Amino acid sequence: SPAAQEMAREIDRLGALPQGDQAIAIGQHLAATATPAQAPAFLDALLKTSDPAIERVAIAALLRTADGAVVQALAQAYGDLPAEHRGRVLQVLEGVSHPAALDGLTRVIASDTGERRSPVTMSALYGVASVGTMDSVDYLLRQTATDNIDLAMMAMERVRTRQGVEMIRAAANGSKDHPDLSPSVRQNLGRLASTVDAQLRP
């Protein structure tokens, strides 16, 4: 898109600047004002750059703007990256906040059918928690009825929205939306909700 192409040029200009306050300020501005339409440019930069400053800017921008397509592209690129660059992909997957990322995250999780879950899948589950919407928390609650139960519980510890915590508590108390949860799962969810709630309080 034209927006992504223009942002790619801005990122190139940032990479050409000497290190210092000006480069830091411009990088922070690009990350803070990034839009979903510009996300492909940050995705490309993240996968290719060896410049730590551009890596930081791209991660900060993608945490806010990555949608489902960007999330899936990151997951697919993970195995082809040098080992020292793979952490940047996991960092974005774990911390995404855009509601539009949820569909991509759940597709990444569904595509992992191995007995041992990959780091990408674990990060995607954490990302679902990071999104923190009703839909994302509902997805994690439904995962407690699958082989992913332990991972889903770990992910729900990272829910940081009041709405999300109330959904977990409602499921623990016998919500009609999740009638198939066992008593032990409900008990664990109740403890989890209390722990997360305590962390949210100022």
Side-chain angles (χ1 to χ4, degrees):
S1 73
Q5 290 168 355
E6 176 56 34
M7 181 51 69
R9 288 191 284 272
E10 293 284 346
I11 293 169
D12 286 343
R13 284 195 280 272
L14 173 63
L17 290 174
Q19 291 183 355
D21 291 344
Q22 183 190 14
I24 291 170
I26 291 173
Q28 288 174 338
H29 174 74
L30 293 181
T33 59
T35 66
Q38 297 165 335
F42 290 106
L43 167 67
D44 193 54
L46 185 69
L47 295 179
K48 293 178 180 174
T49 192
S50 55
D51 182 332
I54 289 181
E55 178 186 342
R56 282 194 300 274
V57 170
I59 289 171
L62 289 170
L63 290 177
R64 290 180 43 253
T65 64
D67 62 11
V70 170
V71 162
Q72 286 183 273
L74 281 167
Q76 287 161 4
Y78 176 83
D80 297 326
L81 289 174
E84 66 271 19
H85 288 172
R86 290 178 180 175
R88 59 180 67 172
V89 167
L90 301 181
Q91 200 174 335
V92 175
L93 292 178
E94 287 182 19
V96 288
S97 60
H98 199 301
L102 179 60
D103 180 61
L105 292 166
T106 59
R107 286 172 187 266
V108 169
I109 296 161
S111 69
D112 183 356
T113 55
E115 200 167 305
R116 289 191 53 180
R117 298 293 183 250
S118 73
V120 169
T121 300
M122 197 65 240
S123 292
L125 277 160
Y126 287 152
V128 172
S130 178
V131 170
T133 60
M134 290 181 72
D135 285 343
S136 67
V137 176
D138 183 67
Y139 173 85
L140 291 174
L141 286 167
R142 282 187 280 115
Q143 289 295 299
T144 62
T146 72
D147 291 343
N148 284 334
I149 177 170
D150 292 340
L151 302 182
M153 288 289 192
M154 288 169 63
M156 278 188 278
E157 291 173 6
R158 296 188 175 211
V159 170
R160 288 296 176 268
T161 60
R162 182 68 58 195
Q163 184 183 48
V165 175
E166 291 310 317
M167 284 186 69
I168 296 169
R169 182 173 283 120
N173 291 336
S175 157
K176 67 181 188 302
D177 294 326
H178 299 279
D180 301 326
L181 299 180
S182 69
S184 63
V185 169
R186 290 189 193 283
Q187 194 173 25
N188 287 334
L189 287 172
R191 282 197 294 266
L192 190 150
S194 297
T195 300
V196 175
D197 189 40
Q199 293 168 348
L200 287 181
R201 286 181 186 159

